[in-house]
């Protein structure tokens, strides 16, 4: 589920609501999404060469649309009316995210600790070597939790202190994406390249979103923390239970 400005808890709530619709229907997610594409293509184009969906496909597509509506309503519950998203928010990503397959044994613990890492980045007052190694563990870069001393021994990056180092890691993992940094107050945005001339940019911010929404009351303590936080927010879908 992808809804701009939605936080972890809201997205989790939306995914759970959508999954409940599929569970009640008895229609698999794969069958529902295939049927949805068939119906969507027919209703958009209506061309003779496009085969008209069967009644079974229309029924399965309705399950998809019902799940999407339920997910959006659950995710956006309590939002201002003009901010509520009602469609085109549900999707199927890769079977399993790379952050999970990096170390399957530790995945349940790393998934559980993701939200904690975000909160610690939001409230960090400066460089924190323990937080550096904890981030590396949650992301699957190291196989087990460690100490600041161990972080130094194995040469882990200074994710809460060295902006140049964080920027290099981010550019390598998100080739083609744009990085914007604000110095005062500190903030960072990671912007996806537009797919075509008519598409809107998709961005993830550490503190202030393009819409004006603020993830927390105060900006990050420094620019390295800001960019690390933005990169972690971009990974949120990978850590949602069964969101892939």
């Amino acid at each position: 589920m992808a809804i701009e400005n939605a936080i972890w808890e809201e997205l989790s709530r939306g995914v759970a609501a959508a999954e409940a619709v599929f569970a009640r229907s008895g229609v698999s997610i794969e069958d529902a999404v295939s049927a949805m594409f068939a119906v969507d293509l027919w209703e958009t184009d209506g061309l003779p060469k496009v085969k008209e969906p069967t009644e079974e496909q229309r029924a399965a597509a309705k399950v998809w649309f019902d799940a999407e509506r339920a997910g959006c309503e659950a995710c956006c519950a309590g939002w201002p009316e003009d901010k509520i998203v009602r469609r085109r928010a549900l999707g199927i990503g890769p079977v399993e995210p790379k952050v999970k397959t990096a170390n399957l044994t530790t995945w349940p613990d790393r998934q559980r600790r993701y939200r904690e890492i975000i909160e610690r980045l939001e409230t960090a007052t400066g460089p924190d070597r323990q937080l550096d190694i904890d981030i590396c563990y949650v992301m699957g870069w190291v196989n087990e939790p460690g100490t600041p001393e161990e972080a130094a021994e194995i040469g882990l990056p200074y994710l809460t202190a060295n902006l140049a180092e964080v920027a290099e890691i981010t550019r390598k993992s998100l080739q083609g994406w744009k990085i914007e940094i604000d110095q005062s107050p500190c903030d960072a945005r990671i912007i996806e390249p537009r797919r075509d001339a008519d598409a809107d940019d998709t961005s993830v911010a550490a503190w202030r979103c393009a819409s004006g929404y603020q993830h927390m009351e105060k900006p990050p303590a420094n620019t390295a923390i800001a960019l690390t936080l933005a990169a972690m927010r971009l990974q949120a879908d990978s850590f949602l239970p069964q969101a892939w």
Side-chain angles (χ1 to χ4, degrees):
M1 174 161 283
I3 295 181
E4 187 178 3
N5 298 335
I7 62 175
W8 163 270
E9 290 82 0
E10 292 167 335
L11 288 169
S12 297
R13 193 168 65 215
V15 169
E19 287 180 334
V21 173
F22 288 117
R24 290 194 300 269
S25 72
V27 176
S28 72
I29 295 176
E30 292 76 13
D31 287 345
V33 74
S34 295
M36 179 272 292
F37 283 133
V39 170
D40 208 27
L41 184 61
W42 171 262
E43 293 183 348
T44 299
D45 294 332
L47 300 177
K49 66 179 181 179
V50 179
K51 186 178 180 180
E52 183 175 0
T54 65
E55 289 303 313
E56 290 78 10
Q57 286 178 311
R58 290 187 182 278
K62 183 178 183 302
V63 173
W64 176 272
F65 295 130
D66 288 346
E68 184 170 52
R69 183 171 60 254
C72 289
E73 289 175 353
C75 179
C76 301
W79 286 23
E81 183 65 25
D82 62 340
K83 300 295 184 183
I84 294 177
V85 175
R86 291 186 168 83
R87 61 193 302 269
R88 302 301 184 190
L90 197 62
I92 296 181
V95 174
E96 290 184 336
K98 291 181 180 179
V99 69
K100 175 181 180 179
T101 57
N103 189 324
L104 289 173
T105 302
T106 62
W107 169 243
D109 183 49
R110 292 187 289 113
Q111 184 185 37
R112 177 184 61 80
R113 295 178 62 176
Y114 171 81
R115 182 64 247 177
E116 171 201 335
I117 293 296
I118 292 292
E119 292 173 352
R120 287 168 61 191
L121 281 166
E122 290 177 342
T123 58
T125 58
D128 184 332
R129 202 62 175 137
Q130 183 63 60
L131 185 50
D132 289 341
I133 195 168
D134 288 346
I135 293 169
C136 291
Y137 168 65
V138 166
M139 298 305 297
W141 301 346
V142 294
N143 292 331
E144 57 186 20
T147 65
E149 292 74 23
E150 290 171 325
E153 289 173 5
I154 59 181
L156 291 181
Y158 288 81
L159 301 173
T160 59
N162 190 323
L163 175 61
E165 201 166 20
V166 178
E168 181 180 4
I169 293 170
T170 305
R171 290 191 181 99
K172 285 182 178 179
S173 61
L174 296 171
Q175 294 186 15
W177 290 55
K178 181 181 179 182
I179 295 172
E180 290 184 350
I181 302 294
D182 291 340
Q183 295 287 343
S184 181
C186 293
D187 201 0
R189 283 167 296 280
I190 302 176
I191 305 170
E192 183 181 16
R194 293 192 297 177
R195 300 303 180 192
D196 56 62
D198 297 325
D200 294 330
D201 288 328
T202 298
S203 65
V204 177
W207 178 36
R208 292 182 296 195
C209 299
S211 64
Y213 174 83
Q214 294 184 2
H215 287 289
M216 60 266 200
E217 292 183 2
K218 297 180 180 180
N222 62 43
T223 51
I225 290 174
L227 184 52
T228 298
L229 183 53
M232 289 289 289
R233 293 199 197 284
L234 192 60
Q235 291 281 345
D237 284 352
S238 296
F239 286 90
L240 286 170
Q242 301 178 3
W244 42 90

